[in-house]
Amino acid sequence: MARNTSMDSHQWDSAIDPAVAPLFLTLQWAHARSLDVMRPLLLRHGLSAAEFDVLATLRNAPPPHEMTPSQIQDEVVITSGGLTKVMLQLEGRGLVVRHQSQDDLRVKPARLTDQGRAGIELAMADTVAATGDWLRSALDDAQMQQLQALLRALVDAPG
């Protein structure tokens, strides 16, 4: 079922900023579209979006690809309870190992296993390729660079 992304059918109260409301909606629709591209690939790799985020975060950490739960939570959008659930699932599938910290017995850092690293690298490559195809179907290289700069400005803005 196609999403209705017409501004004509999404009338907002006239008191809402007429420059921001359409931009807000368009950002939401673009995000939803990006997830539409990503979901089938994650399914093929047997990963949820949260699992993908956690594994990719660990993969991007310097070798030995290990982080504490607090460090992971600072990088991904997930509650501490949600992160615990995801970590247990990933550990149960042999994608991460957790061990007791020598410095603080309350902390159990997670480390990407060889199997986890291989799996997330394949999932990341497939996701980037499919997303690249989707982006290139709508934007040329200059537009992608411009969009990247604009989105980076939003990400870096004080909030």
Side-chain angles (χ1 to χ4, degrees), residues 101-131:
S101 170
Q102 299 297 334
D103 300 329
D104 186 343
L105 297 178
R106 298 169 295 169
V107 177
K108 289 182 81 174
R111 180 180 295 171
L112 203 54
T113 64
D114 289 342
Q115 177 186 351
R117 182 177 171 179
I120 193 58
E121 286 177 354
L122 284 173
M124 289 170 75
D126 285 352
T127 301
V128 169
T131 302

Side-chain angles (χ1 to χ4, degrees), residues 2 20 32 46 87 93 95 100 117 122 144 151:
V20 173
M87 291 304 238
R93 292 183 3 230
L95 303 176
Q100 205 72 52
R117 182 177 171 179
L122 284 173
M144 285 196 294
L151 291 173

Side-chain angles (χ1 to χ4, degrees), residues 25-41:
L25 285 171
T26 304
L27 282 169
Q28 298 305 311
W29 292 328
H31 179 251
R33 233 354 234 117
S34 73
L35 293 176
D36 288 346
V37 170
M38 195 173 165
R39 269 190 205 98
L41 298 167

Side-chain angles (χ1 to χ4, degrees), residues 28-95:
Q28 298 305 311
W29 292 328
H31 179 251
R33 233 354 234 117
S34 73
L35 293 176
D36 288 346
V37 170
M38 195 173 165
R39 269 190 205 98
L41 298 167
L42 294 181
L43 187 60
R44 189 175 334 145
H45 288 279
L47 297 171
S48 69
E51 290 169 334
F52 177 88
D53 282 347
V54 169
L55 290 173
T57 298
L58 285 168
R59 173 60 186 91
N60 288 328
H65 308 293
E66 180 176 288
M67 298 173 76
T68 66
S70 297
Q71 291 170 321
I72 295 169
Q73 197 166 7
D74 287 345
E75 298 291 323
V76 299
V77 180
I78 193 169
T79 65
S80 61
L83 180 58
T84 299
K85 179 182 175 185
V86 168
M87 291 304 238
L88 289 170
Q89 291 168 337
L90 295 173
E91 189 176 29
R93 292 183 3 230
L95 303 176

Side-chain angles (χ1 to χ4, degrees), residues 3-26:
R3 285 191 178 86
N4 183 353
T5 58
S6 167
M7 288 296 172
D8 295 335
S9 63
H10 288 276
Q11 296 299 314
W12 287 53
D13 187 307
S14 60
I16 294 176
D17 186 326
V20 173
L23 178 58
F24 171 80
L25 285 171
T26 304

